[in-house]
Amino acid sequence: MTLASAGYSVTLRIHVPSEDERAIGRITTAIGEAGGVVTALDFVESDSNRLVLDISANARGVEHSGDITAAVDSVDGVTVHHVSDRTFLIHLGGKLEVRSRVRLRNRDQLSMAYTPGVARVSLALAKHPEDARNLTVKGNAVAIVTDGSAVLGLGNIGPVAALPVMEGKAALFKRFADVNAWPICLDSNNSDEIVRAVEMLAPGFGGINLEDIAAPRCFDIEARLRDSLDIPVFHDDQHGTAIVVLAALTNALKVVGKKIEDVRVAMSGAGAAGVAVAKLLKAVGTPDIVALDRGGIIGPDRTFVDRSKRWMQEHTNLDGISGGILDALEGADVFVGVSGPDLFDAAEIRRMAHDPIVFGLANPDPEFDPQRARDHAPVVATGRSDFPNQINNVLAFPGVFRGALDARAKSITDLMNVAAARAIASVVRPEQLNASYIIPSVFNPEVVDEVAKAVRAAASG
């Protein structure tokens, strides 16, 4: 069963009789019996006749929040006056704003920040455009570019609907790495138009973060932009996922006493994330990966048109096996899921080699039941925040861009990605490492610093 989470939290404004001393207990019990989790209780006001309370509770979904509201409203003497969806509240007015780094207090400062003084800076940049990284926001600015064609698990919902996600990404850049990032939502699914649009806006940015662009177009768009631009281009759905998977796997293998060059990996999902994970695992010496897409195991019996699937066909499945997910699991040391929910029953993990490692990264519901998976695998990881070992791209992209911007890098390479993964893994010290702690928290302050330092070193090495 899906657990209650803050993503579906609500705040109920409730009226109760002031003389009813047990009302609060009955309300919290009703929420608990309905499957909700009370997270906050605040007294708003009171008079001789009634108390006004705000109670916040996590739910499992929109319908479940309605069930919780109904349960509270059915408590004797209690009236639900208003219900607020806390997720929508946090998005009211958007999550971003622009603030000036320069305080304009008088005419002199205005004359330097804008006309006429700014003209001198512009003329200097016309002669030496490379100085823009020092004299403008460019040196600490990233464009988050999407066409809205593959947003989270929602699919092609378009650029407007993608905007809240891009705003959130920009907020993460600022929170974790002090990088200024702007959402750029393009109203086109045409690769040529997207490439040209990014090329035209690139002069104002020090890096490009491609986001939520559907495969296989994302591969072509990234490759073309890497060739045409002199600033880092990074498709986070590919490389951010691959970096954090490699970091988690590095530590998970230590827990079970295996080496990356000895293991066989079964992987479901051969889209943007899957291909990038496979390439990065290959780059560090993983000998055999058996990958699946919707048609089953990718092998010599399949025919593919797009280049990414052909790469998978040429570089994975050394034994040329065919079949489905259960065939891929047979004897595998590691499972990495970057596909969809409920792919197989957790009991099927018993098909794998001894001490298996299983990563189910589909959100919000993994490829298997993570609770039951712990009965069959010593190390289990998901993309969720309510289970141990959350594999989250936030561990990677802020530090990767911080390091690349600081190094004035013109591209982000596999060497930099591997360095980032190893840096993330290193934050978990040997005395801390265990089956439930293979990857640090996204709020660990060491992560961005270590990743940025490693990326800077790799960029200059």
Side-chain angles (χ1 to χ4, degrees), residues 348-366:
E348 300 294 351
I349 293 171
R350 290 177 295 189
R351 295 172 177 265
M352 299 176 68
H354 71 283
D355 290 338
I357 296 164
V358 292
F359 295 170
L361 307 185
N363 261 321
D365 299 314

Side-chain angles (χ1 to χ4, degrees), residues 426 428-434:
S426 74
V428 180
R429 295 187 293 275
E431 67 272 17
Q432 297 174 313
L433 182 62
N434 62 71

